[in-house]
Amino acid sequence: MSIAAIQEELIDEFSLFEDWMDKYEHLIQLGKTLPLIDPQRKTDDKLIKGCQSKVWLDAYLKEDKVIFTADSDAIITKGIIAVLIRVFSGHRPEEIAAANTNFIDEIGLKEHLSPTRANGLVSMIKQMKLYAVAFQAQLKK
Amino acid sequence: MALNVTQIREDFPILKREVNGKPLVYLDNAATSQKPKQVIDSISHYYTHYNANIHRGVHTLSQEATDAYEQARKKIQKHFNIAHNHEVIFTSGTTDGINLVANGFSSFLKTGNEVLVSAMEHHSNIVPWQMLCEKTGAQLKVIPMSEEGTLILDEYDTLLTEKTKLVFVNHISNALGTINPIEEIIEKAHTYGAAVLVDGAQSCSHIKPDLQALDVDFYVTSAHKMCGPTGVGMLYGKEEWLHKLPPYQGGGEMIAEVTFEKTTYADLPHKFEAGTPNIAGGIAFGTAIDYLNEIGFDAIAQHESQLLEYATAELLKIRGLRIYGTGKDKTSVISFNLEGIHPYDVGTILDKLGIAVRTGHHCAQPIMDFYKIPGTVRASFAFYNTMEEVDKLVDAVRQAQNMLS
């Protein structure tokens, strides 16, 4: 499935919840499915700056696809990063780098998160795209 | 006398707001207080009727503005029972006042001198002293705190020596709500000839300190914590100290005479008030002090201690909830965590329910390191909060716990 198709799928999925609480319950459930970062690699240099709770993000290339893993000490943050990983992980670097992220507004995540968290969300996306750009350069060599 | 909270709430337009479709429950008063319409009106009145630069013009507006600004200084003097009007220095806030004193002491301190700070300081009260010590070669030492979040005074006695030149301590901890025994701290410091600066940012909305009785050398606070505007505060310094300290910033207002060879500085308080000050803010600070005094600090303390007692008892009924800062002398601040749940998660859910609390390390990372936690959820109450709001908080914390565990 393409990045755009996964985003559409998430928009549909989240549109089922009218109530903010159900939406958050779902987010928390998604957090439990997060592909966790290898404990050996869960080091300070993998921490994303700009998040008020701790978020570790790691990425590696599997064939020509980028695979992301992550973790967080806060459960809602874990849900958010799980959503992002579902969208971006398993795609080619150039697709990730070029992807737009309007779906975040559409599933009501950015709107429903406090400004500091929203900043964390922006930092997470930025970090994922940075990984993609780096892998893109690596593959071109 | 019991407060008429319903009537008081009518003075605060913001308390009628809704957040996320729920009536706002504002429990982040330790970060900043809300403003009554009297304070908001005084700012608007200044700009509408007599906005002018002060201490300069001969024209009517300038004189009216100067009078109002100086009147505010007198209100502050009276409120804090300060001996002389010129011992009240307007600053941009607590942090500014601390930096002014730290900068002044950088010309006195030398290697071998020591500066003591308490273990429960706000960052703003640590960093300037670290910078001061780096610059002068003096050594920074820390008065430790106990598990319940109170200063260990026996350790203070040991740390205090002839080498100690300065002691810095907050009157009340912003992260824990602990009231520090500053009378004892000041008295002991003085027996060694050390000066004491007290950070009153957290105290002045709850209590009315008598600065002459305390015999403190410096005391700083911010207007915005006590129903006044942001960007203005006060530094009290004993006259003798203020004469000793060099000016902090150069500029207009702080000079008596300027030639290219030499500038002579203005008298107190203007020596420390370079440039055009926050005139509207200063005047509104005075209005805020009037407002609080009209309500009365005894009534405020009584109501807030009822809120604290009730909220503490109700929150402790929640399984796995731990309160940080359990000393017997504390103000209406409750810092807590739910076992196994990150404070940010709790704060996010509370916000969805219209409840404003602070989450995080509260600019007091050393305290969080002490308890080995990433932060806390902090609910801080003011005199305009109600018992019903405490109930809403407790219900919301339970709801957050159900969702997050």
Side-chain angles (χ1 to χ4, degrees):
Chain A
M1 227 187 324
S2 70
I3 287 181
I6 300 170
Q7 293 186 351
E8 281 305 317
E9 187 186 71
L10 275 162
I11 293 167
D12 286 348
E13 200 174 304
F14 272 85
S15 71
L16 295 173
F17 309 111
E18 283 176 15
D19 185 75
W20 71 267
M21 269 185 67
D22 295 335
K23 199 175 271 186
Y24 270 75
E25 298 274 14
H26 184 58
L27 196 58
I28 291 164
Q29 287 312 313
L30 290 178
K32 292 176 183 165
T33 67
L34 177 71
L36 289 176
I37 187 169
D38 178 352
Q40 301 272 320
R41 295 177 63 83
K42 196 174 163 182
T43 45
D44 281 357
D45 60 324
K46 298 286 187 300
L47 280 170
I48 298 178
K49 292 191 177 69
C51 298
Q52 296 227 2
S53 49
K54 283 188 172 174
V55 181
W56 294 264
L57 178 72
D58 194 17
Y60 59 92
L61 268 185
K62 193 175 173 190
E63 290 155 13
D64 58 349
K65 308 273 171 61
V66 185
I67 307 295
F68 290 104
T69 58
D71 201 2
S72 174
D73 55 353
I75 191 168
I76 295 173
T77 315
K78 229 166 151 172
I80 294 166
I81 191 85
V83 166
L84 294 179
I85 286 185
R86 187 160 132 197
V87 171
F88 291 123
S89 199
H91 295 279
R92 294 188 347 198
E94 61 272 25
E95 292 175 312
I96 298 167
N100 85 39
T101 51
N102 296 342
F103 80 102
I104 289 166
D105 278 345
E106 289 189 50
I107 63 176
L109 263 190
K110 197 168 177 183
E111 167 204 328
H112 284 275
L113 295 166
S114 67
T116 49
R117 268 182 200 276
N119 290 336
L121 186 64
V122 171
S123 309
M124 288 178 210
I125 294 169
K126 198 173 147 196
Q127 193 60 40
M128 293 175 106
K129 290 204 168 214
L130 279 174
Y131 269 121
V133 171
F135 285 131
Q136 208 175 344
Q138 198 178 314
L139 285 174
K140 272 185 193 158
K141 274 179 192 171
Chain B
M1 199 188 72
L3 287 185
N4 185 345
V5 180
T6 314
Q7 199 188 323
I8 285 171
R9 289 178 71 86
E10 289 297 312
D11 292 337
F12 292 81
I14 207 169
L15 298 179
K16 293 193 172 66
R17 246 201 85 153
E18 289 197 342
V19 168
N20 291 319
K22 306 269 191 321
L24 167 69
V25 175
Y26 186 77
L27 303 178
D28 195 17
N29 294 287
T32 196
S33 62
Q34 295 304 344
K35 321 304 172 200
K37 59 179 189 287
Q38 290 83 340
V39 168
I40 299 167
D41 289 348
S42 84
I43 295 169
S44 158
H45 185 73
Y46 165 74
Y47 284 118
T48 311
H49 295 285
Y50 60 103
N51 170 51
N53 212 332
I54 54 169
H55 300 139
R56 280 164 214 174
V58 291
H59 63 83
T60 305
L61 292 192
S62 175
Q63 289 183 359
E64 284 177 10
T66 306
D67 286 349
Y69 192 69
E70 289 308 318
Q71 197 57 41
R73 196 190 304 273
K74 285 195 185 114
K75 287 175 184 175
I76 296 168
Q77 180 197 356
K78 186 167 171 242
H79 179 79
F80 289 100
N81 190 28
I82 290 168
H84 307 288
N85 191 241
H86 57 254
E87 290 173 320
V88 178
I89 312 293
F90 277 113
T91 62
S92 71
T94 301
T95 301
D96 189 34
I98 291 168
N99 278 284
L100 191 157
V101 177
N103 177 71
F105 269 82
S106 69
S107 55
F108 309 140
L109 292 185
K110 52 183 191 290
T111 309
N113 290 163
E114 289 177 357
V115 174
L116 301 187
V117 298
S118 87
M120 55 176 88
E121 293 306 316
H122 189 276
H123 291 167
S124 66
N125 216 0
I126 300 171
V127 179
W129 309 118
Q130 280 174 338
M131 287 163 64
L132 170 71
C133 288
E134 273 171 30
K135 201 165 151 189
T136 60
Q139 206 184 343
L140 191 68
K141 293 201 164 174
V142 180
I143 311 163
M145 70 173 201
S146 69
E147 189 65 24
E148 62 174 14
T150 55
L151 289 179
I152 305 173
L153 288 181
D154 289 348
E155 298 279 348
Y156 174 58
D157 292 343
T158 319
L159 288 167
L160 203 54
T161 66
E162 264 80 27
K163 291 182 193 166
T164 313
K165 297 297 164 202
L166 284 165
V167 178
F168 302 100
V169 60
N170 52 31
H171 198 162
I172 292 175
S173 155
N174 74 310
L176 304 172
T178 308
I179 304 174
N180 285 317
I182 57 166
E183 296 82 356
E184 195 178 335
I185 289 170
I186 293 164
E187 203 184 327
K188 285 181 173 164
H190 284 171
T191 61
Y192 289 91
V196 180
L197 165 66
V198 173
D199 171 355
Q202 289 300 325
S203 53
C204 296
S205 58
H206 306 290
I207 49 185
K208 187 173 176 172
D210 179 334
L211 298 187
Q212 284 189 80
L214 282 171
D215 195 26
V216 67
D217 302 284
F218 301 97
Y219 197 94
V220 284
T221 196
S222 297
H224 76 93
K225 307 270 192 193
M226 39 195 307
C227 296
T230 54
V232 64
M234 81 106 194
L235 158 70
Y236 158 77
K238 275 184 186 165
E239 187 179 27
E240 50 182 300
W241 273 115
L242 293 179
H243 281 307
K244 262 190 250 178
L245 294 190
Y248 179 39
Q249 288 173 325
E253 192 88 16
M254 53 77 73
I255 34 112
E257 208 178 337
V258 180
T259 65
F260 281 107
E261 288 71 41
K262 185 174 168 55
T263 295
T264 47
Y265 301 122
D267 284 339
L268 294 174
H270 306 296
K271 174 181 164 189
F272 294 106
E273 294 180 352
T276 298
N278 182 350
I279 303 168
I283 294 168
F285 187 4
T287 310
I289 284 178
D290 285 344
Y291 180 82
L292 290 174
N293 280 306
E294 207 161 296
I295 292 173
F297 277 84
D298 289 343
I300 289 173
Q302 193 193 5
H303 180 65
E304 289 179 347
S305 77
Q306 283 168 356
L307 290 170
L308 175 68
E309 205 174 310
Y310 181 58
T312 305
E314 291 301 307
L315 283 171
L316 285 174
K317 287 180 188 164
I318 299 173
R319 78 188 141 78
L321 186 142
R322 175 173 174 191
I323 291 177
Y324 300 90
T326 51
K328 68 177 182 354
D329 290 326
K330 64 178 280 190
T331 47
S332 47
V333 170
I334 303 180
S335 236
F336 65 92
N337 272 331
L338 291 168
E339 193 181 357
I341 302 178
H342 198 284
Y344 284 113
D345 287 330
V346 180
T348 303
I349 302 298
L350 294 190
D351 177 58
K352 298 301 300 177
L353 294 164
I355 299 173
V357 292
R358 176 85 186 263
T359 58
H361 54 59
H362 318 299
C363 301
Q365 259 162 356
I367 298 182
M368 302 304 136
D369 292 345
F370 176 84
Y371 289 115
K372 297 186 176 61
I373 50 176
T376 68
V377 181
R378 183 187 69 188
S380 50
F381 304 90
F383 57 90
Y384 43 72
N385 288 125
T386 63
M387 297 293 181
E388 293 73 41
E389 289 181 314
V390 173
D391 290 335
K392 283 184 185 171
L393 168 72
V394 175
D395 287 347
V397 173
R398 283 187 199 279
Q399 195 172 339
Q401 188 176 44
N402 286 338
M403 283 182 75
L404 297 165
S405 48

